[in-house]
Amino acid sequence: MLFRSIWSDWSVSKLLAHTPLVWLTINTTLIVLLTRLIGLSLPLRIAVLIGFVFNPLTQWVHGFGVIDHHQAEQALMLGATCAWIAWLRQPERGLIGFFAGFVPGIASAFHASLFLLFGAIGLSVFILWCRNLAPSVESTKFVLLGALAGITIAILPAETVWEGQVTHYLLSWFHFFVVASFSLFIFLASKISFSWRVLLILLPLIAAMGFFSAPILIEGTSYIAGTGELISQVSESKSGLYEWLSGNISSWFIATQFTGWVWLAPASLAVTLLALPIVKDKTLIGFLSFSFLGLVLLHGQYRFAVFGTAFMVITPLICYSIALRSMNPRLAWTAPLLAMAMVLPSIGVLLSEPPLSLDGNYALLHSAYRSAE
């Protein structure tokens, strides 16, 4: 009754209906910050914004009246990327280091699977460690403190934690174990110089951790892969890119859903994978690590697409920027034109009016619900 009386207040429902626009502002701001951190020029930053804002998925997720956890997930993905790159640029800044660990740590409070953000962090630390470029212990301690503080705050309210449960689907001690394991690895990478001998010594420790968490890892893998008994029945667990690459849907149709940038997504993933072992710039290593995670998730399932839509645009534009350096830098202003051309396949979708809350049944019955109040 209390909820009904509050919901009947039009000012409250109107405020909630505008919430997605707040998330859109946050995510767009994070996109701008990310493009600045990786050093893209103004024309390329404009191109990224065009590719992101005019993506139908961005419009749907942030549509008026859509209350969806994907908005927060995208913000946390972008926020974690920005914080990590900012710290790699200035590892001596303790506050930035704290947030570089805290943002991915607290992310699990919004969705139990967001511990995956530490996968990108672990990948970049591993590459930096292999090149003896890992940050010092003095600067790393703030990252560890932030990560452990974030995951502790995230899991403490969960009843499953107080019951001692270890599971992937719900917040549990598994999530603390994952973050603690990555924190230990980051500490060791900053403490011990890389050598093949050290790596061979660490392998049994990694194998022991994997053995301990094998049942949960199998459970989590089936969830992420969309092969679980229940999750496989959900339409969002299908991969639009897999359907396209396997020839089940046309190139034009996939572009209407994600813009023409989706055509470059497989190549962007391949370039990211090939570039990671080669690039020497710490900032770029940090970005490519998160880009790799985002693009893998984009290729994996439709419900994970929000993690990769920004990287789907930024990664090829970085390649475009590098190509322009060997030509005429003034050609950078062709990037916004290219971005607009990539949006053209989605114009029909963008101009169509989606159903309220992206739910046809809700839209059909909305007037009946309102008249009954």
Side-chain angles (χ1 to χ4, degrees):
M1 292 296 292
L2 178 62
F3 175 78
R4 184 178 178 81
S5 64
I6 293 175
W7 183 253
S8 64
D9 184 351
W10 172 244
S11 62
V12 175
S13 60
K14 191 173 183 179
L15 178 64
L16 288 174
H18 283 85
T19 301
L21 305 182
V22 177
W23 281 113
L24 179 61
T25 303
I26 293 172
N27 289 329
T28 304
T29 302
L30 288 170
I31 288 284
V32 174
L33 176 59
L34 177 56
T35 55
R36 288 179 64 89
L37 285 169
I38 60 178
L40 290 184
S41 63
L42 178 60
L44 291 165
R45 294 203 296 268
I46 294 173
V48 170
L49 284 176
I50 293 172
F52 175 74
V53 173
F54 291 100
N55 187 318
L57 183 63
T58 301
Q59 299 282 334
W60 293 334
V61 170
H62 301 89
F64 181 82
V66 179
I67 308 300
D68 194 297
H69 66 283
H70 289 106
Q71 300 153 357
E73 288 178 341
Q74 189 167 61
L76 289 162
M77 177 70 167
L78 294 171
T81 308
C82 289
W84 184 250
I85 292 175
W87 179 69
L88 288 177
R89 286 164 56 97
Q90 297 179 297
E92 71 282 358
R93 301 287 295 274
L95 185 60
I96 296 178
F98 179 84
F99 278 103
F102 184 81
V103 174
I106 197 68
S108 292
F110 294 83
H111 197 288
S113 293
L114 286 179
F115 65 86
L116 285 171
L117 296 177
F118 281 97
I121 291 175
L123 176 60
S124 62
V125 169
F126 179 74
I127 293 172
L128 292 171
W129 178 56
C130 289
R131 299 180 183 178
N132 289 317
L133 294 174
S136 66
V137 176
E138 187 65 26
S139 58
T140 300
K141 66 182 182 182
F142 293 101
V143 179
L144 307 186
L145 180 62
L148 293 174
I151 193 60
T152 301
I153 294 172
I155 69 172
L156 270 183
E159 184 178 353
T160 47
V161 171
W162 294 101
E163 292 175 350
Q165 293 189 32
V166 180
T167 177
H168 158 264
Y169 283 102
L170 303 172
L171 285 176
S172 70
W173 286 105
F174 167 73
H175 296 82
F176 187 86
F177 171 76
V178 168
V179 176
S181 298
F182 275 105
S183 299
L184 175 61
F185 171 66
I186 294 170
F187 172 77
L188 292 175
S190 64
K191 187 77 172 176
I192 306 171
S193 298
F194 172 81
S195 71
W196 289 107
R197 180 184 176 186
V198 172
L199 183 59
L200 290 173
I201 293 174
L202 290 176
L203 284 178
L205 176 62
I206 297 172
M209 290 181 173
F211 178 78
F212 171 76
S213 56
I216 311 301
L217 291 175
I218 294 172
E219 175 187 81
T221 301
S222 67
Y223 172 81
I224 294 169
T227 56
E229 183 177 352
L230 296 178
I231 198 66
S232 61
Q233 307 302 317
V234 179
S235 59
E236 284 187 352
S237 67
K238 311 304 178 185
S239 169
L241 271 78
Y242 175 80
E243 293 294 310
W244 165 51
L245 293 172
S246 60
N248 293 327
I249 58 177
S250 68
S251 297
W252 185 258
F253 179 80
I254 193 72
T256 63
Q257 307 300 303
F258 292 101
T259 73
W261 290 107
V262 75
W263 295 330
L264 301 178
S268 296
L269 179 58
V271 168
T272 300
L273 188 59
L274 293 172
L276 272 170
I278 300 172
V279 295
K280 299 177 180 179
D281 183 73
K282 289 184 179 181
T283 299
L284 194 52
I285 290 173
F287 170 79
L288 289 174
S289 298
F290 274 93
S291 178
F292 177 72
L293 174 63
L295 291 171
V296 166
L297 292 174
L298 172 68
H299 283 74
Q301 296 183 40
Y302 188 78
R303 63 198 174 103
F304 294 148
V306 292
F307 293 105
T309 49
F311 299 100
M312 177 180 72
V313 179
I314 298 175
T315 304
L317 282 175
I318 289 178
C319 298
Y320 190 65
S321 175
I322 294 172
L324 290 177
R325 291 175 192 172
S326 60
M327 296 186 291
N328 188 347
R330 294 181 181 178
L331 292 175
W333 283 105
T334 61
L337 298 177
L338 173 64
M340 287 188 284
M342 287 295 202
V343 171
L344 287 177
S346 303
I347 289 296
V349 175
L350 291 170
L351 294 179
S352 64
E353 184 175 351
L356 290 172
S357 295
L358 305 183
D359 188 324
N361 291 328
Y362 174 80
L364 183 64
L365 300 173
H366 177 71
S367 58
Y369 282 125
R370 295 296 298 173
S371 62
E373 290 180 352

Short mmCIF file of all heavy atoms in Angstrom, two decimals, residues 213-272:
data_model
loop_
_atom_site.label_atom_id
_atom_site.label_comp_id
_atom_site.label_asym_id
_atom_site.label_seq_id
_atom_site.Cartn_x
_atom_site.Cartn_y
_atom_site.Cartn_z
N SER A 213 38.45 -23.41 -6.48
CA SER A 213 37.25 -22.72 -6.96
C SER A 213 36.67 -23.33 -8.23
O SER A 213 35.80 -22.73 -8.87
CB SER A 213 37.58 -21.24 -7.22
OG SER A 213 38.66 -21.12 -8.12
N ALA A 214 37.12 -24.53 -8.60
CA ALA A 214 36.69 -25.15 -9.86
C ALA A 214 35.17 -25.25 -10.01
O ALA A 214 34.62 -24.88 -11.07
CB ALA A 214 37.34 -26.53 -10.01
N PRO A 215 34.42 -25.73 -9.00
CA PRO A 215 32.97 -25.84 -9.17
C PRO A 215 32.31 -24.49 -9.45
O PRO A 215 31.41 -24.39 -10.29
CB PRO A 215 32.49 -26.42 -7.82
CG PRO A 215 33.69 -27.09 -7.25
CD PRO A 215 34.85 -26.27 -7.69
N ILE A 216 32.79 -23.44 -8.74
CA ILE A 216 32.21 -22.10 -8.95
C ILE A 216 32.62 -21.55 -10.31
O ILE A 216 31.82 -20.91 -10.99
CB ILE A 216 32.67 -21.14 -7.83
CG1 ILE A 216 32.47 -21.78 -6.46
CG2 ILE A 216 31.91 -19.84 -7.92
CD1 ILE A 216 31.06 -22.17 -6.16
N LEU A 217 33.85 -21.83 -10.72
CA LEU A 217 34.31 -21.36 -12.02
C LEU A 217 33.51 -22.01 -13.15
O LEU A 217 33.17 -21.36 -14.14
CB LEU A 217 35.80 -21.64 -12.19
CG LEU A 217 36.74 -20.83 -11.31
CD1 LEU A 217 38.18 -21.29 -11.49
CD2 LEU A 217 36.62 -19.33 -11.62
N ILE A 218 33.21 -23.29 -13.00
CA ILE A 218 32.40 -23.99 -14.00
C ILE A 218 31.00 -23.40 -14.05
O ILE A 218 30.44 -23.17 -15.13
CB ILE A 218 32.35 -25.50 -13.68
CG1 ILE A 218 33.75 -26.12 -13.85
CG2 ILE A 218 31.35 -26.21 -14.59
CD1 ILE A 218 33.84 -27.55 -13.37
N GLU A 219 30.45 -23.14 -12.87
CA GLU A 219 29.12 -22.53 -12.78
C GLU A 219 29.11 -21.15 -13.43
O GLU A 219 28.23 -20.82 -14.22
CB GLU A 219 28.73 -22.42 -11.31
CG GLU A 219 27.41 -21.70 -11.05
CD GLU A 219 27.17 -21.48 -9.57
OE1 GLU A 219 27.74 -20.51 -9.02
OE2 GLU A 219 26.44 -22.27 -8.95
N GLY A 220 30.12 -20.35 -13.10
CA GLY A 220 30.21 -19.01 -13.67
C GLY A 220 30.45 -19.01 -15.16
O GLY A 220 29.90 -18.19 -15.89
N THR A 221 31.27 -19.96 -15.62
CA THR A 221 31.56 -20.05 -17.05
C THR A 221 30.31 -20.38 -17.85
O THR A 221 30.07 -19.83 -18.92
CB THR A 221 32.64 -21.12 -17.31
OG1 THR A 221 33.83 -20.77 -16.59
CG2 THR A 221 32.96 -21.20 -18.79
N SER A 222 29.49 -21.28 -17.32
CA SER A 222 28.25 -21.63 -18.02
C SER A 222 27.29 -20.45 -18.07
O SER A 222 26.57 -20.26 -19.05
CB SER A 222 27.57 -22.83 -17.32
OG SER A 222 27.11 -22.47 -16.03
N TYR A 223 27.33 -19.62 -17.03
CA TYR A 223 26.47 -18.43 -17.00
C TYR A 223 26.95 -17.42 -18.04
O TYR A 223 26.15 -16.89 -18.83
CB TYR A 223 26.50 -17.80 -15.61
CG TYR A 223 25.81 -16.47 -15.52
CD1 TYR A 223 24.43 -16.38 -15.39
CD2 TYR A 223 26.54 -15.28 -15.56
CE1 TYR A 223 23.78 -15.15 -15.31
CE2 TYR A 223 25.90 -14.04 -15.48
CZ TYR A 223 24.54 -14.00 -15.35
OH TYR A 223 23.91 -12.78 -15.28
N ILE A 224 28.26 -17.16 -18.05
CA ILE A 224 28.82 -16.18 -18.98
C ILE A 224 28.71 -16.67 -20.42
O ILE A 224 28.45 -15.90 -21.35
CB ILE A 224 30.28 -15.88 -18.61
CG1 ILE A 224 30.32 -15.19 -17.24
CG2 ILE A 224 30.95 -15.02 -19.67
CD1 ILE A 224 31.70 -15.08 -16.66
N ALA A 225 28.87 -17.98 -20.61
CA ALA A 225 28.77 -18.55 -21.96
C ALA A 225 27.32 -18.73 -22.40
O ALA A 225 27.06 -19.01 -23.58
CB ALA A 225 29.51 -19.88 -22.01
N GLY A 226 26.38 -18.61 -21.46
CA GLY A 226 24.97 -18.77 -21.79
C GLY A 226 24.56 -20.20 -22.05
O GLY A 226 23.58 -20.46 -22.75
N THR A 227 25.30 -21.16 -21.43
CA THR A 227 25.01 -22.58 -21.67
C THR A 227 24.30 -23.24 -20.50
O THR A 227 24.02 -24.42 -20.55
CB THR A 227 26.32 -23.34 -21.96
OG1 THR A 227 27.24 -23.15 -20.88
CG2 THR A 227 26.96 -22.82 -23.24
N GLY A 228 24.05 -22.48 -19.42
CA GLY A 228 23.36 -23.05 -18.27
C GLY A 228 21.94 -23.47 -18.61
O GLY A 228 21.36 -23.00 -19.60
N GLU A 229 21.38 -24.33 -17.78
CA GLU A 229 20.04 -24.88 -18.07
C GLU A 229 18.99 -23.78 -18.16
O GLU A 229 18.11 -23.82 -19.02
CB GLU A 229 19.66 -25.88 -16.97
CG GLU A 229 18.32 -26.56 -17.21
CD GLU A 229 18.00 -27.59 -16.15
OE1 GLU A 229 18.88 -27.91 -15.32
OE2 GLU A 229 16.87 -28.11 -16.14
N LEU A 230 19.06 -22.79 -17.27
CA LEU A 230 18.06 -21.72 -17.26
C LEU A 230 18.46 -20.56 -18.18
O LEU A 230 17.64 -20.07 -18.95
CB LEU A 230 17.86 -21.20 -15.82
CG LEU A 230 17.28 -22.21 -14.83
CD1 LEU A 230 17.18 -21.59 -13.44
CD2 LEU A 230 15.88 -22.66 -15.29
N ILE A 231 19.72 -20.15 -18.09
CA ILE A 231 20.15 -18.98 -18.84
C ILE A 231 20.10 -19.20 -20.34
O ILE A 231 19.88 -18.27 -21.11
CB ILE A 231 21.58 -18.56 -18.40
CG1 ILE A 231 21.85 -17.11 -18.84
CG2 ILE A 231 22.63 -19.50 -18.98
CD1 ILE A 231 21.01 -16.08 -18.15
N SER A 232 20.24 -20.45 -20.77
CA SER A 232 20.21 -20.73 -22.21
C SER A 232 18.82 -20.50 -22.80
O SER A 232 18.67 -20.39 -24.02
CB SER A 232 20.65 -22.17 -22.48
OG SER A 232 19.78 -23.09 -21.83
N GLN A 233 17.79 -20.43 -21.94
CA GLN A 233 16.43 -20.20 -22.42
C GLN A 233 16.12 -18.71 -22.59
O GLN A 233 15.08 -18.36 -23.14
CB GLN A 233 15.42 -20.81 -21.42
CG GLN A 233 15.66 -22.26 -21.09
CD GLN A 233 15.64 -23.16 -22.31
OE1 GLN A 233 14.77 -23.00 -23.17
NE2 GLN A 233 16.59 -24.08 -22.39
N VAL A 234 17.02 -17.86 -22.08
CA VAL A 234 16.80 -16.41 -22.15
C VAL A 234 17.26 -15.90 -23.51
O VAL A 234 18.38 -16.21 -23.94
CB VAL A 234 17.57 -15.69 -21.02
CG1 VAL A 234 17.36 -14.19 -21.10
CG2 VAL A 234 17.12 -16.23 -19.66
N SER A 235 16.42 -15.12 -24.17
CA SER A 235 16.75 -14.65 -25.53
C SER A 235 17.98 -13.76 -25.53
O SER A 235 18.75 -13.76 -26.50
CB SER A 235 15.56 -13.88 -26.12
OG SER A 235 15.22 -12.78 -25.30
N GLU A 236 18.21 -13.02 -24.45
CA GLU A 236 19.36 -12.13 -24.38
C GLU A 236 20.69 -12.88 -24.29
O GLU A 236 21.75 -12.29 -24.44
CB GLU A 236 19.25 -11.20 -23.17
CG GLU A 236 18.27 -10.07 -23.35
CD GLU A 236 18.31 -9.08 -22.20
OE1 GLU A 236 19.00 -9.37 -21.19
OE2 GLU A 236 17.68 -8.03 -22.28
N SER A 237 20.63 -14.19 -24.01
CA SER A 237 21.87 -14.97 -23.89
C SER A 237 22.42 -15.37 -25.26
O SER A 237 23.50 -15.96 -25.35
CB SER A 237 21.63 -16.22 -23.04
OG SER A 237 20.75 -17.12 -23.71
N LYS A 238 21.69 -15.05 -26.31
CA LYS A 238 22.18 -15.36 -27.66
C LYS A 238 23.15 -14.28 -28.12
O LYS A 238 23.11 -13.14 -27.66
CB LYS A 238 21.01 -15.47 -28.64
CG LYS A 238 19.86 -16.36 -28.17
CD LYS A 238 20.31 -17.76 -27.84
CE LYS A 238 19.15 -18.62 -27.32
NZ LYS A 238 19.59 -19.95 -26.89
N SER A 239 24.01 -14.62 -29.04
CA SER A 239 24.99 -13.68 -29.55
C SER A 239 24.58 -13.18 -30.92
O SER A 239 24.52 -13.96 -31.89
CB SER A 239 26.37 -14.33 -29.63
OG SER A 239 27.28 -13.51 -30.35
N GLY A 240 24.29 -11.86 -31.00
CA GLY A 240 23.94 -11.28 -32.29
C GLY A 240 25.11 -11.36 -33.27
O GLY A 240 24.91 -11.62 -34.46
N LEU A 241 26.34 -11.15 -32.78
CA LEU A 241 27.50 -11.19 -33.66
C LEU A 241 27.78 -12.61 -34.15
O LEU A 241 28.19 -12.80 -35.30
CB LEU A 241 28.73 -10.63 -32.94
CG LEU A 241 28.90 -9.11 -33.12
CD1 LEU A 241 27.94 -8.37 -32.19
CD2 LEU A 241 30.32 -8.66 -32.87
N TYR A 242 27.53 -13.60 -33.29
CA TYR A 242 27.71 -14.98 -33.72
C TYR A 242 26.70 -15.33 -34.81
O TYR A 242 27.05 -15.99 -35.81
CB TYR A 242 27.56 -15.94 -32.55
CG TYR A 242 27.62 -17.40 -32.95
CD1 TYR A 242 28.85 -18.03 -33.19
CD2 TYR A 242 26.45 -18.14 -33.11
CE1 TYR A 242 28.91 -19.35 -33.58
CE2 TYR A 242 26.50 -19.47 -33.49
CZ TYR A 242 27.73 -20.08 -33.71
OH TYR A 242 27.79 -21.39 -34.11
N GLU A 243 25.46 -14.87 -34.62
CA GLU A 243 24.43 -15.12 -35.63
C GLU A 243 24.81 -14.47 -36.96
O GLU A 243 24.58 -15.05 -38.03
CB GLU A 243 23.09 -14.56 -35.14
CG GLU A 243 22.50 -15.29 -33.94
CD GLU A 243 22.11 -16.71 -34.27
OE1 GLU A 243 21.41 -16.92 -35.28
OE2 GLU A 243 22.52 -17.63 -33.53
N TRP A 244 25.41 -13.29 -36.89
CA TRP A 244 25.84 -12.60 -38.10
C TRP A 244 27.03 -13.31 -38.76
O TRP A 244 27.00 -13.60 -39.95
CB TRP A 244 26.21 -11.16 -37.76
CG TRP A 244 26.98 -10.45 -38.83
CD1 TRP A 244 26.66 -10.36 -40.15
CD2 TRP A 244 28.23 -9.75 -38.67
NE1 TRP A 244 27.61 -9.63 -40.83
CE2 TRP A 244 28.59 -9.25 -39.95
CE3 TRP A 244 29.05 -9.49 -37.59
CZ2 TRP A 244 29.75 -8.52 -40.16
CZ3 TRP A 244 30.20 -8.75 -37.79
CH2 TRP A 244 30.55 -8.28 -39.06
N LEU A 245 28.04 -13.63 -37.95
CA LEU A 245 29.24 -14.26 -38.50
C LEU A 245 28.97 -15.66 -39.04
O LEU A 245 29.66 -16.14 -39.94
CB LEU A 245 30.34 -14.31 -37.43
CG LEU A 245 30.90 -12.95 -36.99
CD1 LEU A 245 31.83 -13.10 -35.81
CD2 LEU A 245 31.62 -12.27 -38.15
N SER A 246 27.94 -16.32 -38.48
CA SER A 246 27.59 -17.66 -38.96
C SER A 246 26.62 -17.61 -40.13
O SER A 246 26.20 -18.65 -40.65
CB SER A 246 27.00 -18.49 -37.82
OG SER A 246 25.83 -17.87 -37.29
N GLY A 247 26.21 -16.40 -40.52
CA GLY A 247 25.36 -16.24 -41.70
C GLY A 247 23.87 -16.36 -41.43
O GLY A 247 23.07 -16.37 -42.38
N ASN A 248 23.46 -16.40 -40.17
CA ASN A 248 22.04 -16.54 -39.86
C ASN A 248 21.28 -15.22 -39.98
O ASN A 248 20.06 -15.22 -40.15
CB ASN A 248 21.87 -17.11 -38.45
CG ASN A 248 22.36 -18.53 -38.35
OD1 ASN A 248 22.27 -19.30 -39.31
ND2 ASN A 248 22.90 -18.91 -37.20
N ILE A 249 21.98 -14.10 -39.84
CA ILE A 249 21.36 -12.80 -40.06
C ILE A 249 22.28 -12.00 -40.99
O ILE A 249 23.48 -12.25 -41.06
CB ILE A 249 21.10 -12.02 -38.75
CG1 ILE A 249 22.41 -11.81 -37.98
CG2 ILE A 249 20.09 -12.73 -37.88
CD1 ILE A 249 22.22 -10.98 -36.71
N SER A 250 21.73 -11.02 -41.67
CA SER A 250 22.50 -10.29 -42.68
C SER A 250 23.38 -9.23 -42.04
O SER A 250 23.15 -8.79 -40.91
CB SER A 250 21.54 -9.63 -43.67
OG SER A 250 20.82 -8.58 -43.03
N SER A 251 24.37 -8.81 -42.80
CA SER A 251 25.27 -7.74 -42.35
C SER A 251 24.49 -6.44 -42.14
O SER A 251 24.78 -5.67 -41.21
CB SER A 251 26.39 -7.51 -43.37
OG SER A 251 27.19 -8.66 -43.51
N TRP A 252 23.52 -6.20 -42.99
CA TRP A 252 22.73 -4.98 -42.86
C TRP A 252 21.89 -5.00 -41.59
O TRP A 252 21.79 -3.99 -40.87
CB TRP A 252 21.84 -4.77 -44.08
CG TRP A 252 21.09 -3.47 -44.03
CD1 TRP A 252 19.79 -3.26 -43.70
CD2 TRP A 252 21.64 -2.17 -44.31
NE1 TRP A 252 19.48 -1.94 -43.74
CE2 TRP A 252 20.60 -1.24 -44.11
CE3 TRP A 252 22.90 -1.72 -44.68
CZ2 TRP A 252 20.78 0.14 -44.30
CZ3 TRP A 252 23.09 -0.35 -44.87
CH2 TRP A 252 22.04 0.55 -44.68
N PHE A 253 21.29 -6.14 -41.28
CA PHE A 253 20.43 -6.22 -40.10
C PHE A 253 21.24 -5.99 -38.82
O PHE A 253 20.80 -5.25 -37.93
CB PHE A 253 19.73 -7.58 -40.04
CG PHE A 253 18.85 -7.72 -38.82
CD1 PHE A 253 17.58 -7.16 -38.79
CD2 PHE A 253 19.29 -8.42 -37.70
CE1 PHE A 253 16.78 -7.27 -37.66
CE2 PHE A 253 18.50 -8.53 -36.57
CZ PHE A 253 17.24 -7.96 -36.55
N ILE A 254 22.41 -6.61 -38.70
CA ILE A 254 23.21 -6.44 -37.49
C ILE A 254 23.64 -4.98 -37.34
O ILE A 254 23.74 -4.46 -36.23
CB ILE A 254 24.43 -7.39 -37.49
CG1 ILE A 254 25.09 -7.43 -36.10
CG2 ILE A 254 25.46 -6.98 -38.53
CD1 ILE A 254 24.31 -8.16 -35.06
N ALA A 255 23.87 -4.31 -38.49
CA ALA A 255 24.26 -2.89 -38.45
C ALA A 255 23.09 -2.01 -38.02
O ALA A 255 23.31 -0.97 -37.38
CB ALA A 255 24.79 -2.45 -39.80
N THR A 256 21.87 -2.40 -38.34
CA THR A 256 20.72 -1.61 -37.90
C THR A 256 20.58 -1.66 -36.39
O THR A 256 20.05 -0.73 -35.78
CB THR A 256 19.42 -2.11 -38.54
OG1 THR A 256 19.16 -3.48 -38.11
CG2 THR A 256 19.48 -2.07 -40.04
N GLN A 257 21.08 -2.71 -35.78
CA GLN A 257 20.97 -2.87 -34.32
C GLN A 257 22.15 -2.22 -33.58
O GLN A 257 21.99 -1.74 -32.46
CB GLN A 257 20.92 -4.36 -33.96
CG GLN A 257 19.86 -5.16 -34.67
CD GLN A 257 18.47 -4.64 -34.40
OE1 GLN A 257 18.03 -4.55 -33.26
NE2 GLN A 257 17.75 -4.27 -35.46
N PHE A 258 23.33 -2.19 -34.18
CA PHE A 258 24.54 -1.73 -33.50
C PHE A 258 25.29 -0.63 -34.25
O PHE A 258 26.38 -0.25 -33.82
CB PHE A 258 25.51 -2.90 -33.29
CG PHE A 258 25.02 -3.94 -32.33
CD1 PHE A 258 24.47 -5.12 -32.79
CD2 PHE A 258 25.13 -3.75 -30.96
CE1 PHE A 258 24.02 -6.10 -31.92
CE2 PHE A 258 24.68 -4.72 -30.08
CZ PHE A 258 24.13 -5.90 -30.55
N THR A 259 24.80 -0.14 -35.36
CA THR A 259 25.47 0.77 -36.30
C THR A 259 26.53 0.00 -37.09
O THR A 259 26.85 -1.15 -36.78
CB THR A 259 26.16 1.98 -35.62
OG1 THR A 259 27.33 1.56 -34.93
CG2 THR A 259 25.20 2.68 -34.67
N GLY A 260 27.09 0.65 -38.09
CA GLY A 260 28.08 0.00 -38.96
C GLY A 260 29.38 -0.33 -38.25
O GLY A 260 30.18 -1.13 -38.77
N TRP A 261 29.61 0.25 -37.06
CA TRP A 261 30.84 -0.07 -36.33
C TRP A 261 30.92 -1.55 -35.97
O TRP A 261 32.01 -2.08 -35.75
CB TRP A 261 30.92 0.76 -35.04
CG TRP A 261 31.16 2.22 -35.28
CD1 TRP A 261 30.25 3.24 -35.13
CD2 TRP A 261 32.37 2.85 -35.73
NE1 TRP A 261 30.81 4.44 -35.45
CE2 TRP A 261 32.12 4.23 -35.82
CE3 TRP A 261 33.63 2.36 -36.06
CZ2 TRP A 261 33.09 5.15 -36.23
CZ3 TRP A 261 34.61 3.27 -36.47
CH2 TRP A 261 34.34 4.64 -36.55
N VAL A 262 29.77 -2.21 -35.92
CA VAL A 262 29.77 -3.62 -35.57
C VAL A 262 30.49 -4.46 -36.62
O VAL A 262 31.03 -5.53 -36.32
CB VAL A 262 28.32 -4.13 -35.36
CG1 VAL A 262 27.61 -4.31 -36.69
CG2 VAL A 262 28.30 -5.42 -34.56
N TRP A 263 30.52 -3.97 -37.87
CA TRP A 263 31.23 -4.70 -38.92
C TRP A 263 32.72 -4.80 -38.62
O TRP A 263 33.39 -5.73 -39.06
CB TRP A 263 31.02 -4.01 -40.27
CG TRP A 263 29.61 -4.03 -40.76
CD1 TRP A 263 28.66 -4.97 -40.51
CD2 TRP A 263 28.98 -3.04 -41.59
NE1 TRP A 263 27.48 -4.65 -41.13
CE2 TRP A 263 27.64 -3.47 -41.81
CE3 TRP A 263 29.41 -1.86 -42.19
CZ2 TRP A 263 26.73 -2.75 -42.58
CZ3 TRP A 263 28.51 -1.13 -42.96
CH2 TRP A 263 27.19 -1.58 -43.15
N LEU A 264 33.24 -3.82 -37.87
CA LEU A 264 34.67 -3.79 -37.55
C LEU A 264 34.98 -4.48 -36.21
O LEU A 264 36.15 -4.60 -35.85
CB LEU A 264 35.17 -2.34 -37.49
CG LEU A 264 35.00 -1.51 -38.77
CD1 LEU A 264 35.50 -0.09 -38.54
CD2 LEU A 264 35.74 -2.16 -39.93
N ALA A 265 33.94 -4.91 -35.49
CA ALA A 265 34.16 -5.48 -34.15
C ALA A 265 35.06 -6.72 -34.16
O ALA A 265 35.98 -6.81 -33.34
CB ALA A 265 32.82 -5.79 -33.49
N PRO A 266 34.85 -7.69 -35.06
CA PRO A 266 35.76 -8.85 -35.08
C PRO A 266 37.22 -8.45 -35.36
O PRO A 266 38.14 -8.97 -34.72
CB PRO A 266 35.20 -9.73 -36.20
CG PRO A 266 33.76 -9.34 -36.32
CD PRO A 266 33.74 -7.87 -36.03
N ALA A 267 37.41 -7.51 -36.30
CA ALA A 267 38.77 -7.05 -36.60
C ALA A 267 39.35 -6.29 -35.42
O ALA A 267 40.55 -6.42 -35.10
CB ALA A 267 38.76 -6.16 -37.84
N SER A 268 38.51 -5.51 -34.72
CA SER A 268 38.97 -4.77 -33.54
C SER A 268 39.43 -5.72 -32.44
O SER A 268 40.44 -5.48 -31.78
CB SER A 268 37.86 -3.86 -33.02
OG SER A 268 37.52 -2.87 -33.96
N LEU A 269 38.69 -6.81 -32.25
CA LEU A 269 39.07 -7.81 -31.26
C LEU A 269 40.40 -8.45 -31.63
O LEU A 269 41.28 -8.63 -30.77
CB LEU A 269 37.97 -8.87 -31.14
CG LEU A 269 38.23 -10.01 -30.15
CD1 LEU A 269 38.47 -9.48 -28.73
CD2 LEU A 269 37.07 -11.01 -30.15
N ALA A 270 40.58 -8.78 -32.91
CA ALA A 270 41.83 -9.40 -33.36
C ALA A 270 43.01 -8.44 -33.19
O ALA A 270 44.08 -8.83 -32.73
CB ALA A 270 41.69 -9.82 -34.82
N VAL A 271 42.80 -7.17 -33.56
CA VAL A 271 43.86 -6.17 -33.43
C VAL A 271 44.24 -5.98 -31.96
O VAL A 271 45.42 -5.88 -31.62
CB VAL A 271 43.41 -4.82 -34.05
CG1 VAL A 271 44.36 -3.69 -33.66
CG2 VAL A 271 43.32 -4.95 -35.55
N THR A 272 43.23 -5.94 -31.10
CA THR A 272 43.49 -5.80 -29.66
C THR A 272 44.34 -6.95 -29.14
O THR A 272 45.31 -6.74 -28.40
CB THR A 272 42.16 -5.75 -28.89
OG1 THR A 272 41.38 -4.64 -29.34
CG2 THR A 272 42.39 -5.62 -27.39
#
